[in-house]
Amino acid sequence: MTGAAGRPGGDAGGGRVRPVVALVFATILFVALVIGGIGILSLYRNEDPIAAPEFGILPGVIGVLIAAAVFAGVLWTSVRREHPSFWGAVWTAAASFLAYVVGIAVVGAVSTGDPVLALGVSGRLVTQGFAVIVAASALVSGWGGIALVRTRGGRPRWPWEDRDGI
């Protein structure tokens, strides 16, 4: 059975990745890069990202989840367009950065009851580079998600897979 362009199975040799699939891949990549990047920076600096013992782990985890949700929401506005612009990755990175910092500040203030400590922790995340990891991860992942939707390449094919060449 031959499909479009005479290729078996109807593979036309190209076509864009569906926006939902690109969004899922980009969001998974974003979370992986954030966790890995913050872990590596923490090991390199030999210090915890959140050095306040009263804070615990919950504000950091929820901050990453909030950043991931904002990442997915802002990137979705870009990838669902007919011809998405790569500028969408910049907006996605800025929104994810802000969501991470503000999310940790709010959750930290609620969980500890000390808004000054929460703002101090958020400020330290920015000045020590941990929040910059979030922005860089969002920029790379957002660009990749947009690139998946914009490109029209197909899967790699060996020369012997093309029945027309036989």
Side-chain angles (χ1 to χ4, degrees):
M1 173 168 109
T2 59
R7 294 211 172 118
D11 181 14
R16 52 188 254 171
V17 174
R18 289 181 293 162
V20 173
V21 174
L23 179 71
V24 170
F25 284 155
T27 304
I28 291 170
L29 177 63
F30 169 70
V31 172
L33 288 177
V34 166
I35 292 170
I38 288 176
I40 289 172
L41 185 59
S42 176
L43 285 173
Y44 176 75
R45 292 178 157 252
N46 197 24
E47 60 187 37
D48 291 332
I50 298 177
E54 304 87 24
F55 243 57
I57 194 171
L58 188 63
V61 171
I62 293 176
V64 171
L65 292 175
I66 290 170
V70 168
F71 172 86
V74 174
L75 185 62
W76 176 248
T77 63
S78 293
V79 297
R80 68 185 173 107
R81 296 182 182 168
E82 183 65 30
H83 299 290
S85 170
F86 284 113
W87 282 105
V90 174
W91 296 113
T92 302
S96 299
F97 173 84
L98 287 173
Y100 178 71
V101 173
V102 172
I104 287 181
V106 169
V107 173
V110 169
S111 68
T112 64
D114 189 357
V116 175
L117 175 64
L119 288 175
V121 167
S122 290
R124 183 180 177 279
L125 288 172
V126 172
T127 59
Q128 297 297 318
F130 293 104
V132 175
I133 296 290
V134 174
S137 299
L139 184 66
V140 169
S141 303
W143 183 89
I146 292 169
L148 283 173
V149 173
R150 284 181 57 124
T151 58
R152 305 258 187 246
R155 69 176 180 86
R157 298 180 62 86
W158 293 101
W160 58 81
E161 290 183 292
D162 189 11
R163 300 242 184 238
D164 294 337
I166 295 179

